[in-house]
Amino acid sequence: MNDKQTGSAKLIKLGIILAIFGVVAAGVLLLPKGFKDDLSVIGQGEVSIVLTHDKHLVGGTTMMALLNKVRPDYAEKVNFLAVDVDTPIGRNFLKQQKVGPIALVMFGLDGSRQSVFRRGISEADLRTALDQLLSLWWFSKKMPIGSKA
């Protein structure tokens, strides 16, 4: 009888260990990959886009996937950054920029905030905004996104 209880206890322990491993693995997979988190690069002569990321919300994962689609085409010209909203740096960024836990905040070469996108932005709209932000005309005129010349 003792052998069965010991065997059951081993199976329970194994199940718990596997469950813990699964939760840790899922948490790691939900973190933004390849995004810097050094906000000090904003305003240092390159365009920056910051993803406010909440790993507990599906929308954050959707926005990250959208950025991952466009990032290969803009990686040499744009700083792709992410802040975790569950950290002091992330909470401070949300407060300073007056944005929620799922947003893309775009900054110009000089660090000026150019636009904010929330859920629902399409890949085409994001590409258009990035192209406008990167164009020399855009910076020489300092016109907000969506303005007409």
Side-chain angles (χ1 to χ4, degrees):
M1 192 88 166
N2 253 352
D3 290 342
K4 282 188 177 181
Q5 289 176 345
T6 304
S8 292
K10 285 181 181 179
L11 284 176
I12 291 171
K13 283 182 185 178
L14 178 62
I16 291 171
I17 290 170
L18 288 175
I20 290 170
F21 178 75
V23 168
V24 169
V28 169
L29 292 174
L30 292 175
L31 293 174
K33 301 286 185 263
F35 289 86
K36 302 174 208 165
D37 61 358
D38 180 11
L39 299 178
S40 70
V41 300
I42 296 171
Q44 301 299 316
E46 291 184 356
V47 170
S48 297
I49 185 166
V50 180
L51 166 67
T52 59
H53 179 69
D54 185 338
K55 62 184 173 258
H56 305 293
L57 299 175
V58 174
T61 306
T62 303
M63 291 289 262
M64 188 184 350
L66 175 63
L67 279 182
N68 281 330
K69 283 183 184 177
V70 303
R71 190 165 45 163
D73 298 329
Y74 295 93
E76 293 182 18
K77 305 172 210 158
V78 176
N79 290 315
F80 286 91
L81 308 168
V83 293
D84 183 344
V85 300
D86 292 326
T87 65
I89 291 171
R91 286 189 295 272
N92 189 44
F93 183 84
L94 294 181
K95 187 176 177 181
Q96 279 182 340
Q97 297 299 320
K98 297 181 175 119
V99 295
I102 303 172
L104 297 176
V105 185
M106 297 176 77
F107 296 92
L109 298 173
D110 62 356
S112 61
R113 185 168 113 170
Q114 298 297 315
S115 56
V116 176
F117 296 100
R118 291 170 178 83
R119 298 180 213 203
I121 183 173
S122 70
E123 180 181 342
D125 288 342
L126 179 57
R127 286 181 183 279
T128 298
L130 283 167
D131 290 341
Q132 286 178 344
L133 196 54
L134 289 167
S135 72
L136 293 175
W137 174 84
W138 171 258
F139 288 105
S140 67
K141 300 291 184 187
K142 294 204 183 244
M143 296 182 69
I145 290 177
S147 294
K148 304 215 186 236

